[in-house]
Amino acid sequence: MGAGSWGTVFAQMLKDNGKEVILWARRRELVEYVNTQHRSPYINDLEVTVTVTNDLEELKNTDVLVIAIPCQHIREHLVRLPKRPFMVLNLSKGIEVGTGKRVSEIVKEVLGCPYAVLSGPSHAEEVAMKLPTAVTIAGDYARDLQSEISCEYFRVYTLEDVVGVEIAGALKNVIAIAAGILDGLGGWDNAKAALETRGIYEIARFGVKFGADFKTFMGLAGIGDLMVTCNSKHSRNRWFGEMIAKGHNPQELLKSTKYVVEGAFTVLAVMKIVKEQGVEMPISEEVYRIVYEGKHPLQSVKDLLKRDLKREFWDLKG
């Protein structure tokens, strides 16, 4: 479910692995284009041989429903499914703004079926080129999915921490916006290294507050995904931050880009949780102020550096 770059590449990889796959897209014109041209407008140089449809009825006999649509639209599409799948495998990364819920919680509410989440440093552009990639999967039937998905260029690990994997995948997009801002300000190496290091700690502190395992944030779903999203030319969240620092209006950017900048929505959900739960999230708060309140990025950098001095590892419980 979802024929963007990652959904299309993942579907094609599964088909190349010998699986029977149907790819669902919302827009009829996209379905017609991919089915006739065997190409996707979102990913270059990938031959798409998967059958694409925009008819949800064709998903009614699905064993594993793979979700690869923007987090804010997951609920509205799941409620339209003609039949509950045996299980859901989630590739999307984010937190629902209206409810503050993770994807596993949305799936539990709407479908009540087994659930797993796959995450890690896995830009679609490189997976499409069959370049070496490693990710992790957590949740129900994780070991079965591990063996079904893994191939010669795509290696899947398993762990048990669904909460940690989901939080790491969602919040790294917020930190990546901040990383892009630093790139736009001048590409300061010292500052960016500090941002990524403090960023993973901020994510981990948030995750532990809600029951995640700290070790998850030291792995592929945590540090691994954060590093690639903060530094890759393929990262739309990093690009978004860079454009802001170069003077572009963030709201106009969100309206004009054909890609979804998940971090811009996740930070809204995070700020609601911060107010309710009292979790300290200084980097995320500054990203929010830049994107939604028009704060100048240089002032945010100065304000972060002027915060009260403290020990490096001072609290893992929020």
Side-chain angles (χ1 to χ4, degrees):
M1 179 176 278
S5 56
W6 187 211
T8 302
V9 170
F10 197 83
Q12 188 60 49
M13 182 178 70
L14 291 178
K15 183 170 184 182
D16 291 344
N17 284 0
K19 311 306 174 191
E20 185 177 349
V21 184
I22 296 174
L23 180 61
W24 179 86
R26 178 178 56 85
R27 294 185 292 114
R28 182 181 297 275
E29 59 270 28
L30 178 59
V31 172
E32 293 175 353
Y33 178 85
V34 178
N35 281 336
T36 57
Q37 302 298 316
H38 302 293
R39 289 285 184 273
S40 167
Y42 299 108
I43 193 82
N44 295 326
D45 302 323
L46 175 71
E47 183 181 8
V48 183
T49 61
V50 176
T51 299
V52 189
T53 181
N54 69 336
D55 184 0
L56 285 172
E57 281 292 325
E58 295 195 36
L59 302 182
K60 65 182 180 181
N61 295 318
T62 298
D63 292 320
V64 180
L65 177 69
V66 181
I67 297 176
I69 54 180
C71 180
Q72 307 310 318
H73 300 293
I74 288 175
R75 184 185 297 272
E76 66 183 85
H77 289 304
L78 292 187
V79 297
R80 295 172 54 220
L81 287 173
K83 181 182 177 182
R84 191 185 82 165
F86 171 73
M87 77 166 296
V88 165
L89 172 62
N90 175 40
L91 309 182
S92 300
K93 299 172 182 178
I95 299 174
E96 192 174 44
V97 173
T99 64
K101 293 186 176 180
R102 294 173 283 106
V103 179
S104 59
E105 296 172 306
I106 298 170
V107 170
K108 182 178 181 180
E109 279 188 10
V110 178
L111 299 177
C113 64
Y115 171 91
V117 55
L118 181 146
S119 190
S122 50
H123 279 306
E125 293 83 357
E126 293 198 354
V127 178
M129 297 169 64
K130 300 185 178 182
L131 297 177
T133 301
V135 299
T136 195
I137 192 169
D140 299 313
Y141 301 98
R143 289 190 178 182
D144 295 309
L145 292 166
Q146 176 188 40
S147 62
E148 294 290 337
I149 297 168
S150 295
C151 60
E152 62 183 2
Y153 60 90
F154 195 85
R155 181 175 175 85
V156 182
Y157 289 85
T158 64
L159 45 71
E160 291 73 41
D161 185 15
V162 169
V163 175
V165 172
E166 289 187 318
I167 288 175
L171 269 65
K172 59 91 181 181
N173 286 328
V174 178
I175 305 302
I177 292 174
I181 289 171
L182 289 180
D183 287 343
L185 290 174
W188 308 329
D189 292 340
N190 290 352
K192 196 169 183 183
L195 172 75
E196 292 178 30
T197 305
R198 296 307 301 169
I200 196 64
Y201 184 66
E202 179 168 309
I203 294 169
R205 190 170 63 237
F206 184 93
V208 170
K209 172 83 174 181
F210 296 99
D213 185 343
F214 178 75
K215 294 192 297 296
T216 299
F217 303 98
M218 301 301 106
L220 290 164
I223 287 178
D225 208 4
L226 180 72
M227 286 192 296
V228 78
T229 312
C230 286
N231 295 291
S232 173
K233 63 182 179 181
H234 301 304
S235 170
R236 63 193 66 167
N237 291 279
R238 190 210 60 77
W239 166 86
F240 178 66
E242 183 178 2
M243 292 300 101
I244 292 173
K246 289 181 176 179
H248 295 269
N249 181 287
Q251 298 308 311
E252 291 301 319
L253 284 172
L254 290 174
K255 292 177 184 176
S256 62
T257 179
K258 68 177 181 179
Y259 298 105
V260 177
V261 182
E262 283 283 13
F265 300 98
T266 298
V267 76
L268 286 174
V270 169
M271 286 304 100
K272 288 184 179 181
I273 295 170
V274 165
K275 290 178 182 178
E276 293 171 359
Q277 302 289 336
V279 189
E280 187 171 350
M281 304 285 285
I283 299 172
S284 298
E285 287 185 30
E286 291 302 328
V287 170
Y288 173 83
R289 292 184 179 122
I290 291 168
V291 174
Y292 292 102
E293 297 180 354
K295 187 172 183 179
H296 196 284
L298 277 175
Q299 188 59 51
S300 284
V301 173
K302 292 177 182 178
D303 288 347
L304 282 170
L305 291 171
K306 290 190 299 183
R307 295 172 63 245
D308 291 343
L309 300 176
K310 58 188 67 175
R311 294 170 62 242
E312 184 174 5
F313 302 111
W314 62 277
D315 185 8
L316 278 178
K317 296 183 179 179

